[in-house]
Amino acid sequence: MPITLPREMTGAELQSMLKSSVNFKSLGGMRVPGLKLGEEDLAWWRSAKVGMFIHWGLYSLLGRGEWARFNEKLPYHEYEALKDAFDPRDFSTDEWAETARDLGANYMVMVTRHHDGFALWNSPGSYLNFDSAHSAAGRDFVKEFTDSCRKYGMRVGYYYSPMDWRFPGYFDPKGLKDNALKMKTQCYRQVEELVTNYGAPDILWYDGGWLAHKGSDTSSSWFWEPDKLNKMVRSHAPKAVINPRSGWEGDFYCDEGSKELSGKIITVPWEKNLCLCSGASWGWMENDPVRDLDWLIRMTVNVICRDGNILWNIAPDKSGKLSDEIHARIRELGSWIRQNGEAVYGTRGGPVEPVDGVFGTTFRENIVYLHILDAAEFAKQRINGLPGKVLSARTLDGNEIAFSENDDGYCFDISCLLPETDVVVKLTLDARVKATVSEVYFSGKG
Ligand code: GLC
């Protein structure tokens, strides 16, 4: 059975206790009484399991990733001028929602404004009107995105970066205090626009609460005052699920990137966000290799068996489109997710601790799903930690699987099944399984 975590710990303690490769970002966030959602408000998000993240903006015109402005030290006016070329004419955000549906996602998170400062909506709060309504496109893409999400039954998530490279005060917040404060004002106004313009969003996903590219999202809370910011958010969107990257501890934890996942079940709400392509950047890069299907399925299984959500990033090109290859891979992954949907959606990770690279489990009520990643190794395993007796074992399409039990646990004979990346076996127990949830505060770095 999954272990319960102590009330307060560091990220390093978590890793060592769970023998886990998970690396949560932004630990040590400000604690604010009354701001954090309870489990009942997270229920839809936990059931949803799969989301689609979209990095798309002015940087997509360059095709060198979302950090191009900063990394290449592009002159201010050269970058700003990109807005006059930003005009994706034959593009509709419905295409993104269709792609999310193909992927089997239940929510979408759109980058509404990255560190380059360009807002993808009509934003009066934007410093110097640097937004898509004042670009060649003359469109409000956040509105279009939100409408598409609602039309396709996707929950609506907005990514927003408090920091903005356009402000010299960002790089020297104490020396250029007035300028830095302008950036902060912009942040408060823009976040307020996002949570009020289009109805309350379901998810608010911050990124970039640090200053001068030093420290972490939580080390600059003296500047951003994330308690005030998120109290304002809660006044308009009381049930929005908020990530921890504004400097406030947030409603769930984030593990970012394509690192393989190992270790035990994690008993706090968490999400892994990662790229469908190489992960060299989150924004569009030409010829960015797409991950193979086997890798994508394994990653999904490894996350859900450890009780996490998975947020797959896609990077549309300058016209808002994805390559045929990416589309094809999304359809393949989505058809796997949908085919095994009952073992994915609405489940929780556990109750049996995963064995890295071999198997893991998900469950709902008295049903436990074995996700078998390595059939040969699995054949040697004895399964322990089920809270009741196994009444039956079947494939998802109903074929019986033989099993036996002795003092060391259960043994399942899957030799009749075709070797696939993830073979799912459904166990019916004589008892309900309960999720283990730990209320933990991560106090510091590491
Ligand atoms: C990192 C990157 C940023 C990206 C984000 C996604 O913070 O700096 O570019 O948007 O990860 O989680």
Side-chain angles (χ1 to χ4, degrees), residues 248-304:
W248 164 58
E249 65 170 326
D251 296 314
F252 65 94
Y253 294 95
C254 286
D255 178 40
E256 177 184 284
S258 311
K259 195 171 160 203
E260 297 288 342
L261 190 62
S262 58
K264 300 191 173 186
I265 299 162
I266 301 166
T267 55
V268 292
W270 70 284
E271 179 189 69
K272 184 168 184 72
N273 67 296
L274 74 174
C275 295
L276 206 88
C277 293
S278 73
S281 80
W282 298 78
W284 182 63
M285 279 191 330
E286 194 154 17
N287 302 323
D288 191 5
V290 190
R291 294 278 183 176
D292 63 52
L293 181 63
D294 180 79
W295 190 89
L296 298 171
I297 293 175
R298 277 171 185 276
M299 190 59 95
T300 307
V301 169
N302 282 330
V303 170
I304 62 174

Side-chain angles (χ1 to χ4, degrees), residues 296-405:
L296 298 171
I297 293 175
R298 277 171 185 276
M299 190 59 95
T300 307
V301 169
N302 282 330
V303 170
I304 62 174
C305 290
R306 290 169 180 79
D307 211 21
N309 278 15
I310 192 154
L311 181 63
W312 286 110
N313 181 62
I314 54 145
D317 67 13
K318 61 180 168 195
S319 54
K321 311 269 181 194
L322 295 168
S323 70
D324 292 344
E325 197 193 353
I326 294 179
H327 261 140
R329 192 53 46 77
I330 284 175
R331 274 190 219 109
E332 285 175 329
L333 176 59
S335 80
W336 178 86
I337 294 177
R338 276 191 302 275
Q339 234 173 329
N340 294 284
E342 69 159 286
V344 177
Y345 304 119
T347 66
R348 299 294 299 267
V352 181
E353 287 292 0
V355 175
D356 294 339
V358 182
F359 84 101
T361 51
T362 55
F363 73 90
R364 183 189 315 97
E365 298 179 353
N366 66 325
I367 307 289
V368 172
Y369 300 94
L370 295 168
H371 293 261
I372 301 159
L373 297 169
D374 182 333
E377 282 301 315
F378 179 78
K380 302 177 198 157
Q381 301 283 325
R382 286 276 158 186
I383 309 301
N384 291 298
L386 294 168
K389 283 213 148 299
V390 177
L391 302 177
S392 69
R394 291 198 174 90
T395 60
L396 291 187
D397 43 24
N399 297 321
E400 297 276 347
I401 300 288
F403 63 94
S404 57
E405 189 192 6

Side-chain angles (χ1 to χ4, degrees), residues 25 53 55 66-67 114-115 159 205 207 210 245 256 273 282:
K25 288 192 80 115
F53 205 3
H55 275 70
E66 76 286 1
W67 275 63
H114 207 267
H115 315 328
Y159 161 114
W205 215 102
D207 175 34
W210 58 77
R245 290 161 76 165
E256 177 184 284
N273 67 296
W282 298 78

